[in-house]
Amino acid sequence: MRNTAAFITPGRRAGLSAAAILATGLAGCSVLPQRPPPHALTSYRITLSDTHASARTSPACPAVRIAAPTAAAGFGGPAMRYSENPGTIANFAFHRWAAPPARMLEPILVQSVSASGLFEAVLAPDAPAGAPLQLDTQLLALLQRVTGPRSTIHLAVRASLSNVRTHRQLSAHRFVIDIPAQAANAPAGVQATDAAIGQFSHELNAWLAGLARDGQCSARN
């Protein structure tokens, strides 16, 4: 077997050593730009904390089922929406809802309407029992309107109460609520959203109470 090392001259050996050192240095220092570390994605839940049980002793209306809330086009996913100009909507890049807002609205509605004391029972959408009345809701809009350093949460929800047996809509109402946020960023928008949901729950129960006073929530209607 031929020994090739015997034919490498001292000068060539020095050149090879320099090339090896250079290659080692380049391996440790990439010529490609370094990617920044991935930005953490923060998720938020919508909460309702200020419900108070009604002092009402006898319900004015029969049982009601809370139908699963739906959402208008553009508001069905978990994206947190904001608008800087009328007619334009964008998503926060690193902030999102933990679930679609309409889905998070479901247990809030059950909690709030139950606390009103207006109905004999308040059933969740998947409850096996039946109810003569049904409350349907649609999330029409939930976005943060940004104007310079200020912002406002805009919430719009349509609600309707129907007689399940006759398939007759007893009444419907559109709720529009605007709550100023403390800053023009997503965390401030979340706080304002919770406040908007709390106000919506209060107005929804006031509307239902008005229907009860007018006798519109009877199962005979």
Side-chain angles (χ1 to χ4, degrees), residues 21-121:
I21 294 173
L22 179 61
T24 303
L26 289 176
C29 181
S30 174
V31 296
L32 296 176
Q34 294 292 324
R35 292 184 178 180
H39 198 291
L41 184 63
T42 306
S43 298
Y44 301 88
R45 295 191 61 84
I46 297 176
T47 59
L48 178 67
S49 58
D50 59 347
T51 55
H52 301 285
S54 172
R56 186 184 299 271
T57 57
S58 57
C61 306
V64 64
R65 179 183 301 279
I66 306 297
T70 60
F75 297 96
M80 295 183 68
R81 319 302 301 274
Y82 72 92
S83 175
E84 294 181 307
N85 298 291
T88 64
I89 299 179
N91 300 335
F92 283 101
F94 305 114
H95 305 270
R96 63 183 295 170
W97 296 114
R103 188 184 305 169
M104 290 192 287
L105 188 59
E106 179 185 311
I108 290 175
L109 287 170
V110 174
Q111 174 187 348
S112 176
V113 177
S114 296
S116 72
L118 291 167
F119 300 89
E120 293 179 357

Side-chain angles (χ1 to χ4, degrees), residues 157-176:
V157 181
R158 183 185 184 277
S160 63
L161 186 67
S162 302
N163 185 310
V164 175
R165 180 178 59 83
T166 63
H167 304 285
R168 178 172 174 264
Q169 180 176 284
L170 304 177
S171 185
H173 189 76
R174 188 173 186 267
F175 300 88
V176 179

Side-chain angles (χ1 to χ4, degrees), residues 178-199:
D178 293 287
I179 298 293
Q182 295 182 352
N185 55 44
V190 172
Q191 293 181 346
T193 297
D194 288 345
I197 291 295
Q199 183 173 326

